[in-house]
Amino acid sequence: MNLRHYLATARMSRAQWIIVAVCALLSALDGYDVLAMSFTSNAVSTELALSGTDLGLVLGAAGIGAGIGSLVFGPIGDRIGRRPALLASLALSTLGVALTVLSHDLTGLISWRLVTGIGVGGSLAAATVLASEFASERRHGLVLSLFTAGFPIGGALGGLAAAPIIQTFGWQGVFALGIALNLVVLALVAVFLPESLAFLAERRGASARIERELERLIQRLGVSEPVVVEAAPRQHGQFGAFAGLFSPRYLATTLAVWLTFFLLQAAYQFASSWTPKLLVKTGLTPEQGIFAVIAISIGGIAGALSYGALTSKWPARSVFAVLTALASLALAAFILTTSIVPLAFTAALLVGFFLNAAIAGVYTTAPTAYGPSLRSTGVGVALGVGKIGGIASPVLVGALLDGGATPLALYLGTAVFLIVAIAGILKIEPYREDVAATAPATEPVTERQLV
């Protein structure tokens, strides 16, 4: 039996769930690292006397870095392996968080948030592929929902910890805690995450190291019967993986995935980064601003986890599109109810629920839109394009705010962008492997053959 087919159809093993859990934990860490600056934005801007444009650049720096990281580390993962790319990017984000603690001016903050973002973008690109690859077809939606839920879980826990930490240790304490969390997750990734099966299969026979890793992976997964380890056909030609994204087979899919990632990430980064500051402008306290982001994160956890259940009952693209439309309505309701705090917090929960459920949709959809040999590049580049949206929204909002834009106009404008995202969602088609690519190989792989 083909090992890829076996993993897709068999019941998920304990080892597969451990891989998923570590990827979800990594996503939670990325949520903490990215949103840490949002939680500390009022304290940082007060201490350093930052203008709206300055703060927008600081909030957007991690997004710029994440775009660079996913664009760079995605293809690197296809070339040297997802696991080493993930470890390198995670080490880089740890360095960025550590040096943020030592920053005392605008230039330092922007520089080290940029480095943090590069690491976050690279780790998310690799972890998205690994979580998707080791999920069975039956549990695929649930697995990617759990992975996506990690980000708002990290944000919610970070928000809960931020207020007391800032009061006791200053805003630097939030990033000091981030250093410790990064080191713990780096150790867990090194111990528990294996190399990508698609990567190993594609390079089988290239070296003794690849053969040993493939044997260990089969043993770890608990596969007892003889299996075929066969690489999927490459989906790109002589100009490389990036050019393959624009081949006739993938062009429409690539543009649709990019548009969807861009607009959803722009909306999410706006809501999560600027809400504490904008709510203060509407008359709420800084603490209420932080709690609004916590509400968005808590709603996001429920939304991300709900996506898999919703797609088990209704067509995935239809669910994805409806959730995006509801996220648009929730954003409008949120800003229109800030004068009634309980209603505003309820709307914040709904913003988080629908936005993160929609983001779970794009994280679930993107890996399945590309063939295995293009998957890391496709997801990595899409994440990079999405991060451009994450860059643009905080920076643009800062400039618009300095130019006199009101919180009401900013939230309603973002709601309109989400409606546009639906056009991209409806154009994303799943990858279908050629029949020839799934034909059984003539010789099964056993442990004896791998030695």
Side-chain angles (χ1 to χ4, degrees), residues 93-186:
S93 62
T94 305
L95 175 65
V97 172
L99 292 174
T100 300
V101 177
L102 304 177
S103 301
H104 300 291
D105 56 29
L106 178 62
T107 301
L109 277 177
I110 292 175
S111 299
W112 299 121
R113 289 300 290 167
L114 181 69
V115 171
T116 301
I118 292 173
V120 167
S123 63
L124 275 177
T128 301
V129 172
L130 287 171
S132 178
E133 186 174 308
F134 285 102
S136 67
E137 287 183 358
R138 181 182 177 191
R139 300 295 185 187
H140 191 265
L142 174 62
V143 165
L144 270 296
S145 293
L146 290 170
F147 175 74
T148 310
F151 196 96
I153 288 173
L157 295 177
L160 290 171
I165 289 176
I166 292 171
Q167 290 176 359
T168 306
F169 302 104
W171 63 266
Q172 293 89 347
V174 174
F175 294 94
L177 176 59
I179 298 171
L181 295 175
N182 271 268
L183 291 173
V184 169
V185 174
L186 181 59

Side-chain angles (χ1 to χ4, degrees), residues 30-364:
D30 289 341
Y32 183 96
D33 286 345
V34 169
L35 294 180
M37 187 54 69
S38 174
F39 299 134
T40 59
S41 60
N42 281 299
V44 170
S45 60
T46 298
E47 181 176 316
L48 301 181
L50 303 181
S51 67
T53 300
D54 291 339
L55 184 57
L57 290 171
V58 173
L59 291 171
I64 295 171
I68 295 170
S70 50
L71 287 170
V72 170
F73 280 100
I76 287 176
D78 282 333
R79 185 179 295 257
I80 69 170
R82 276 63 150 172
R83 186 174 185 274
L86 176 54
L87 288 169
S89 57
L90 186 52
L92 193 61
S93 62
T94 305
L95 175 65
V97 172
L99 292 174
T100 300
V101 177
L102 304 177
S103 301
H104 300 291
D105 56 29
L106 178 62
T107 301
L109 277 177
I110 292 175
S111 299
W112 299 121
R113 289 300 290 167
L114 181 69
V115 171
T116 301
I118 292 173
V120 167
S123 63
L124 275 177
T128 301
V129 172
L130 287 171
S132 178
E133 186 174 308
F134 285 102
S136 67
E137 287 183 358
R138 181 182 177 191
R139 300 295 185 187
H140 191 265
L142 174 62
V143 165
L144 270 296
S145 293
L146 290 170
F147 175 74
T148 310
F151 196 96
I153 288 173
L157 295 177
L160 290 171
I165 289 176
I166 292 171
Q167 290 176 359
T168 306
F169 302 104
W171 63 266
Q172 293 89 347
V174 174
F175 294 94
L177 176 59
I179 298 171
L181 295 175
N182 271 268
L183 291 173
V184 169
V185 174
L186 181 59
L188 292 174
V189 168
V191 172
F192 291 108
L193 280 193
E195 182 53 88
S196 157
L197 172 60
F199 177 84
L200 293 175
E202 198 170 71
R203 286 157 179 76
R204 190 171 173 237
S207 68
R209 179 184 68 83
I210 295 292
E211 297 300 305
R212 288 195 299 271
E213 287 195 39
L214 185 55
E215 179 183 351
R216 285 197 297 269
L217 178 58
I218 291 174
Q219 292 174 342
R220 175 184 288 193
L221 294 173
V223 180
S224 57
E225 58 186 276
V227 289
V228 172
V229 179
E230 185 181 31
R234 297 189 68 81
Q235 300 297 318
H236 49 85
Q238 60 178 328
F239 296 106
F242 187 82
L245 301 179
F246 301 96
S247 66
R249 178 171 191 171
Y250 286 113
L251 178 59
T253 292
T254 294
L255 294 177
V257 170
W258 285 10
L259 176 67
T260 306
F261 256 111
F262 180 93
L263 293 175
L264 283 172
Q265 286 292 339
Y268 182 80
Q269 289 300 323
F270 164 70
S272 60
S273 297
W274 272 104
T275 290
K277 191 71 175 177
L278 291 178
L279 288 190
V280 170
K281 285 188 170 293
T282 67
L284 300 184
T285 68
E287 290 76 17
Q288 287 173 321
I290 290 177
F291 280 117
V293 177
I294 294 172
I296 290 173
S297 296
I298 291 172
I301 296 167
L305 293 175
S306 298
Y307 179 79
L310 293 170
T311 55
S312 68
K313 296 183 178 180
W314 295 286
R317 278 196 304 173
S318 299
V319 170
F320 192 2
V322 170
L323 288 168
T324 304
L326 291 173
S328 174
L329 293 175
L331 272 172
F334 173 60
I335 194 59
L336 291 170
T337 58
T338 53
S339 60
I340 308 172
V341 174
L343 283 180
F345 282 3
T346 301
L349 286 167
L350 294 176
V351 167
F353 182 92
F354 293 125
L355 260 182
N356 278 276
I359 290 172
V362 77
Y363 272 101
T364 302

